[in-house]
Amino acid sequence: SEKEFNFWKKKCPIAKYEKYLKKKKILSKNKIKDIKSSILKKIDKSFKLAINSRLPNPKYAKQHLYN
């Protein structure tokens, strides 16, 4: 539910650490913006690679799995 999501969002360790770093003036808003932009670019690049990749051969689907 949205209420539950908002409850856990307040406990997010990444958001808490970001707030701490801003409060201590270790990172500026612009630097945080740059970091987030860099992360999103990496995610987008990885997503595009996954979408544009061929599916693996089904005969290898069960390899390297625990029995």
Side-chain angles (χ1 to χ4, degrees):
S1 73
E2 187 175 340
K3 185 178 178 182
E4 186 178 24
F5 176 80
N6 289 329
F7 171 80
W8 287 108
K9 185 177 177 182
K10 291 177 187 173
K11 295 182 177 280
C12 175
I14 295 170
K16 285 183 170 187
Y17 193 54
E18 177 184 327
K19 188 175 181 179
Y20 168 81
L21 292 173
K22 282 195 279 187
K23 182 179 178 182
K24 294 290 185 177
K25 299 188 187 305
I26 296 170
L27 286 179
S28 67
K29 288 181 182 181
N30 285 336
K31 184 62 178 172
I32 291 171
K33 183 181 172 185
D34 291 345
I35 291 169
K36 288 181 178 183
S37 176
S38 174
I39 291 168
L40 289 174
K41 284 178 186 175
K42 289 177 185 179
I43 291 170
D44 190 47
K45 182 179 176 183
S46 297
F47 181 77
K48 286 178 182 175
L49 175 67
I51 292 296
N52 293 320
S53 295
R54 294 184 343 199
L55 292 174
N57 188 327
K59 78 178 186 177
Y60 300 114
K62 292 187 178 183
Q63 279 190 336
H64 309 294
L65 297 177
Y66 295 104
N67 290 342

